[in-house]
Amino acid sequence: MKSVVVVGAQWGDEGKGKVVDYLAGSFDYIVRVAGGHNAGHTVIIGKEKHVLQLIPCGILRPQQHAVIGMGVVVDPAALVNEIETLAKSGIDVSNRLHISNRAHLIFPYHRELDRAAESARGANKIGTTSRGIGPAYEDKMARRGLRMCDLLDPALFREKAERVVAEKNRLAKGAYGADIDFSHEVEETLKLGEKIRGYICDSAELVNHALDEGRSVLFEGAQGTMLDIDHGTYPYVTSSSAISGGATTGAGVPPTKIKHVLGISKAYTTRVGGGPFPTEMPDLDAQEVRKRGKEFGAVTGRPRRCGWLDLAVLRYAKMINGIDSLVVTKLDVFDTQREIQVCVGYKYKGTPIHEMPALAEEYDHVTPEYKTLPGWSDPTYGVKDAGKLPKAALEYLRFIGDFLQVEIGMISTGPERDATIIPEATLLSRWL
C-alpha cells in the first residue's frame, strides 16, 4: 500500500503545491484534507502557471483523480470559478474530481462576518485572509453548518439555510452594527450547486476502497504545522488541522492506512500575517530574500515575512507529524548569500528551552541561538543532479538532515516541475 501525507513543516507557503504536483504522477488519487480557498498552490508547467485554491493539483495530471475531503470547507463560487478556469486551460475535471458529501460550505456571509471580526480586533488582528474560512469552521463546530449533501435536496437546503441566514442577519446587526440582509445568498448558492452536484460523493468510501484495491493515495493538507489549530502559535493560526493526523479525519481513512509522512520546508522561513516569528530577518535582509524568493501570497498577493531557517520549529514539526522524509525547497534563493544563519535552539529569558512555547506571548522573551554556515555564491537554480550542487550547499543540506536526524528526500531548485533533485537511496526515491 503506497499512501503518503504531505505536510508543511513551517508556517505554510513551503512549496507544497510544486511537491504534490511532482509526486502526483506516481499516485492514483490525490486527496485534499483540510483548509479552504485561502490556501493557494502555484504550479508551473513549461510556460503555464496554474494557481489552485481548492482542487488538489493532481488534477493537472491527465489520469489522476483529485478528491476534496470532508475536512475542507468549500466556497461554491470559488470552486466553480476554479473548474471553469481549468477548462479554459484545456483541463477537463469530469470523472476525475470528487467532492465529499460531508464537506462544509462557505457562504458570502462567512466572508462578511470574517472581515467584520478582523476589523473589530484593531491592533490585535490575527492576519486572516477574510475569505470566510474561520467562520465556516465555527459553524461546523457549532453544528449549524451546511454541507455539500444539503445541496442535493434543494427544498431541504432552503429550509435549513433560511434559518441560518436569519441568525446571521441578527448577528451582523447586533455584534458589528452592520445592517446586512443575507437572504439572497440561498438561491445564489443553489444555482452554483447545480454546477457541482455531479462531483459530490461519499469520498471516504471512494478513498478507502481505492486503498483496499491497492491503489496509491497522496494526501495533502493546507498551511503548515505552526498554523495548526492545536499545535501552532495560537491564536495566530488557521482554523483546521494542518498536521499529518488531520489527514485521517479530513479524508476519512484510519491512521493504519497511512504509511509515510513527507514534510516540506523552505531553505529559510516565512510566515504571513501577525504572530510570533523568532528568526525573522532585519528589513534589508528580508527584502532581498522576499525579492529573490518571490515571497508574495499565491492567492492574496500579501508580502511574506522572511527569516532564517528555524531548526527548533522543524524538530517540533518532525515530532508532531512523524516526518520520515524532508523536502527542502527554494535552495536557489540563497545563491547570493555569503553567510547563512541557522537557528539551532531557543533561550527563554536567558535559559535554554527544549519545548515549543505554548503561549504566543512567551515568544516575546525567546531569543534564537544561531550557527553561522558559509554560503556558496554559485548558481543552483534549475540544477537537477545533487552532484552538481556547490559543496557549501551540500554541507548546508547535510547539516539540516544531521541535526533533525531525518533524510533529505527531495531538493527543489526552482519553481518549475523539473527543477527537482531526488537523491538516490532515499525513502522518497523508492516511492516514485
Side-chain angles (χ1 to χ4, degrees), residues 2-318:
K2 188 164 68 172
S3 53
V4 179
V5 181
V6 175
V7 295
Q10 298 167 305
W11 278 278
D13 306 311
E14 299 96 346
K16 295 184 295 296
K18 177 199 166 169
V19 173
V20 171
D21 171 67
Y22 185 89
L23 297 175
S26 299
F27 289 80
D28 300 309
Y29 288 79
I30 295 83
V31 185
R32 171 82 180 273
V33 300
H37 66 302
N38 59 336
H41 285 341
T42 302
V43 179
I44 297 175
I45 306 170
K47 294 183 179 180
E48 287 195 68
K49 178 181 178 182
H50 302 274
V51 178
L52 298 168
Q53 300 175 37
L54 281 166
I55 301 174
C57 50
I59 202 70
L60 301 176
R61 301 278 183 168
Q63 304 297 326
Q64 277 65 19
H65 291 262
V67 181
I68 296 175
M70 66 285 296
V72 181
V73 287
V74 180
D75 184 324
L79 178 60
V80 169
N81 179 66
E82 199 162 320
I83 292 170
E84 292 175 348
T85 300
L86 287 169
K88 290 176 183 176
S89 298
I91 299 168
D92 184 10
V93 303
S94 301
N95 302 316
R96 295 196 301 123
L97 175 62
H98 315 277
I99 307 169
S100 172
N101 52 13
R102 291 173 171 82
H104 278 249
L105 298 168
I106 297 175
F107 285 81
Y109 59 67
H110 287 127
R111 294 194 295 272
E112 294 294 335
L113 294 173
D114 203 357
R115 280 191 285 269
E118 183 74 343
S119 177
R121 294 184 184 103
N124 297 314
K125 286 181 171 61
I126 292 174
T128 173
T129 58
S130 298
R131 292 182 175 237
I133 312 298
Y137 277 114
E138 286 180 37
D139 280 354
K140 175 180 179 176
M141 294 306 175
R143 293 163 293 183
R144 56 172 174 257
L146 291 163
R147 302 185 295 172
M148 281 287 170
C149 55
D150 292 312
L151 289 174
L152 301 176
D153 187 336
L156 183 60
F157 180 85
R158 288 188 181 95
E159 181 184 333
K160 290 183 176 181
E162 285 168 4
R163 288 199 301 267
V164 176
V165 163
E167 179 183 323
K168 299 304 179 185
N169 288 340
R170 293 193 297 271
L171 176 62
K173 190 168 185 177
Y176 304 113
D179 193 7
I180 306 172
D181 185 359
F182 297 119
S183 302
H184 64 282
E185 296 177 7
V186 177
E187 294 304 319
E188 289 176 3
T189 302
L190 273 175
K191 287 180 181 178
L192 290 166
E194 292 174 2
K195 298 182 178 181
I196 57 180
R197 281 189 195 124
Y199 306 109
I200 300 173
C201 68
D202 186 333
S203 63
E205 181 75 27
L206 176 75
V207 175
N208 278 283
H209 183 67
L211 286 168
D212 290 342
E213 285 191 328
R215 309 293 291 276
S216 54
V217 180
L218 186 66
F219 301 89
E220 63 162 315
Q223 287 88 36
T225 299
M226 300 306 291
L227 292 177
D228 182 88
I229 184 66
D230 293 306
H231 303 285
T233 48
Y234 189 90
Y236 302 94
V237 293
T238 191
S239 302
S240 59
S241 177
I243 64 168
S244 59
T248 63
T249 54
V253 298
T256 50
K257 287 186 177 179
I258 297 176
K259 302 303 180 184
H260 299 289
V261 180
L262 180 63
I264 318 295
S265 167
K266 287 176 181 169
Y268 47 98
T269 311
T270 64
R271 81 167 295 169
V272 173
F277 191 3
T279 65
E280 188 164 13
M281 294 172 171
D283 286 344
L284 286 177
D285 291 327
Q287 287 175 17
E288 179 64 21
V289 170
R290 189 179 299 118
K291 180 181 176 182
R292 287 186 56 79
K294 297 181 174 59
E295 294 296 350
F296 300 90
V299 173
T300 64
R302 292 189 297 178
R304 297 172 184 144
R305 298 159 65 190
C306 298
W308 301 110
L309 187 66
D310 191 332
L311 293 181
V313 161
L314 292 185
R315 181 171 54 198
Y316 177 73
K318 179 194 172 188

Side-chain angles (χ1 to χ4, degrees), residues 237-411:
V237 293
T238 191
S239 302
S240 59
S241 177
I243 64 168
S244 59
T248 63
T249 54
V253 298
T256 50
K257 287 186 177 179
I258 297 176
K259 302 303 180 184
H260 299 289
V261 180
L262 180 63
I264 318 295
S265 167
K266 287 176 181 169
Y268 47 98
T269 311
T270 64
R271 81 167 295 169
V272 173
F277 191 3
T279 65
E280 188 164 13
M281 294 172 171
D283 286 344
L284 286 177
D285 291 327
Q287 287 175 17
E288 179 64 21
V289 170
R290 189 179 299 118
K291 180 181 176 182
R292 287 186 56 79
K294 297 181 174 59
E295 294 296 350
F296 300 90
V299 173
T300 64
R302 292 189 297 178
R304 297 172 184 144
R305 298 159 65 190
C306 298
W308 301 110
L309 187 66
D310 191 332
L311 293 181
V313 161
L314 292 185
R315 181 171 54 198
Y316 177 73
K318 179 194 172 188
M319 176 185 73
I320 293 297
N321 291 290
I323 293 170
D324 47 19
S325 189
L326 185 71
V327 176
V328 176
T329 64
K330 295 199 171 184
L331 184 70
D332 54 293
V333 173
F334 274 161
D335 283 355
T336 60
Q337 199 77 34
R338 293 186 178 181
E339 289 186 337
I340 299 171
Q341 303 294 317
V342 184
C343 172
V344 294
Y346 295 156
K347 284 187 176 180
Y348 178 70
K349 295 183 177 180
T351 302
I353 58 173
H354 303 288
E355 297 177 354
M356 196 59 62
L359 283 170
E361 291 80 2
E362 289 181 2
Y363 282 91
D364 293 337
H365 305 284
V366 163
T367 304
E369 294 184 283
Y370 288 109
K371 180 176 179 61
T372 302
L373 298 176
W376 41 92
S377 299
D378 282 314
T380 64
Y381 186 91
V383 172
K384 303 171 188 177
D385 180 355
K388 295 182 180 179
L389 288 173
K391 182 180 178 182
L394 289 171
E395 289 297 325
Y396 183 61
L397 294 167
R398 188 174 293 115
F399 181 82
I400 296 168
D402 289 347
F403 184 93
L404 299 173
Q405 290 297 289
V406 68
E407 70 167 30
I408 306 298
M410 179 190 290
I411 305 151

